[in-house]
Amino acid sequence: MEFQELITARHSVRAYLDKPVPEEVIAQVLDEARHCASWSNTRGYMLGVATGDRLHRLSERYIDAWEKFVKESGVKGSQGDSVFPDGDFETWKKYPEQLRGRAIANGKTFYGHLNIMRGDDVARLAQQRDNYEFFGAPVIILVFVHRGLLPFTAQDAGIMLAHLMLSATYHGLATVPLGNLATWRHPADAEFEVPEDYALITGLAMGYEDTSAQINTYRAEHPSIPLVEPKNN
Ligand SMILES: Cc1cc2nc3c(=O)[nH]c(=O)nc-3n(C[C@H](O)[C@H](O)[C@H](O)COP(=O)(O)O)c2cc1C
């Protein structure tokens, strides 16, 4: 695969085939992802990789937390309560005005693509729920970053994940990062021995794309990278 082809082929996939990814392929993708740059080469991130029963237990815990949360009308409760968001980072935080517009525009085209009308809460909730079933992906990766060197560890994790997603694409796999999974921390703690200094920043689903699924024909916009104006010195 030419680099140009590879980098444009990667897109977020939200419906997967019921087909396991061989362990050696997962290992190869992880091995290739390590060739990334890092802040002082500190590599302050760790991954929790789940497949099979562990993945299903994780999904059940997320669905349970999410359903209770929706039932309570999304009221945020005290930290540590397993029903209400207990994430290390506030995924539910209001976006700054400038960035909010972009997220809303993306949401509109995405739901439009799925023929989900504005105000159709049932369909929207069903779509959100799919996140916690990991869109049927056979591999889920939880990404933890060291709290002591933020924001650089988060930056490093992003760089590493970009490598990982491109490697996966190269090997015929599809991915979607799942920031939603950072909303709850307790499912991760039930399945992994996470060192105290590490915070859950995102998830990532990986598997084989279901090319017959309408949702997977959605393509997000990739506008030019904004540049700040140089000063007229
Ligand atoms: C850190 C991160 C978290 C994300 N979380 C979610 C998520 O929870 N659910 C989802 O459907 N997409 C999620 N996405 C995918 C983005 O919506 C997607 O990358 C963006 O719309 C651009 O589309 P593309 O990945 O197809 O290029 C996430 C992306 C990133 C980088």
Side-chain angles (χ1 to χ4, degrees):
M1 218 180 199
E2 294 289 332
F3 183 69
Q4 186 73 19
E5 192 190 338
L6 177 70
I7 207 162
T8 51
R10 189 223 49 87
H11 60 278
S12 289
V13 164
R14 298 182 177 89
Y16 289 83
L17 297 178
D18 182 14
K19 177 180 166 188
V21 180
E23 267 180 34
E24 55 275 20
V25 177
I26 301 175
Q28 189 164 9
V29 167
L30 293 178
D31 191 54
E32 287 172 5
R34 79 189 154 91
H35 293 282
C36 53
S38 162
W39 188 270
S40 295
N41 215 8
T42 45
R43 303 181 186 269
Y45 41 73
M46 296 181 89
L47 301 182
V49 182
T51 59
D53 289 348
R54 192 179 303 286
L55 176 143
H56 288 116
R57 286 195 303 268
L58 264 177
S59 176
E60 274 171 16
R61 282 205 163 83
Y62 273 116
I63 295 272
D64 186 54
W66 179 80
E67 281 182 346
K68 285 179 183 153
F69 178 65
V70 170
K71 216 162 126 201
E72 299 291 333
S73 316
V75 183
K76 281 169 199 86
S78 56
Q79 284 285 321
D81 184 323
S82 65
V83 174
F84 297 107
D86 61 355
D88 295 312
F89 300 101
E90 294 183 10
T91 56
W92 52 89
K93 204 163 123 178
K94 200 175 168 198
Y95 290 7
E97 207 53 51
Q98 212 184 6
L99 306 182
R100 211 171 108 83
R102 291 187 197 159
I104 290 171
N106 182 59
K108 265 190 193 161
T109 49
F110 180 60
Y111 284 118
H113 182 83
L114 299 179
N115 283 321
I116 298 177
M117 303 299 156
R118 210 172 159 211
D120 187 350
D121 290 343
V122 174
R124 274 172 189 253
L125 285 175
Q127 201 286 321
Q128 282 174 28
R129 189 183 195 278
D130 287 349
N131 278 264
Y132 302 106
E133 286 184 336
F134 316 141
F135 300 114
V139 183
I140 196 78
I141 299 176
L142 298 178
V143 185
F144 304 93
V145 291
H146 199 295
R147 300 172 199 270
L149 199 58
L150 286 167
F152 309 117
T153 50
Q155 181 173 250
D156 270 13
I159 294 169
M160 179 274 296
L161 284 178
H163 279 57
L164 195 155
M165 288 189 281
L166 289 178
S167 164
T169 308
Y170 182 78
H171 292 287
L173 292 166
T175 56
V176 61
L178 289 177
N180 272 324
L181 303 191
T183 306
W184 286 277
R185 173 63 198 254
H186 64 278
D189 287 327
E191 294 295 337
F192 295 101
E193 298 286 351
V194 187
E196 210 177 305
D197 287 334
Y198 282 77
L200 175 64
I201 194 160
T202 190
L204 180 101
M206 185 165 82
Y208 296 99
E209 177 172 357
D210 178 355
T211 49
S212 70
Q214 148 83 355
I215 196 168
N216 286 340
T217 59
Y218 178 72
R219 291 293 178 274
E221 270 188 29
H222 295 122
S224 310
I225 294 174
L227 303 177
V228 289
E229 279 297 317
K231 282 194 174 162
N232 214 356
N233 290 335

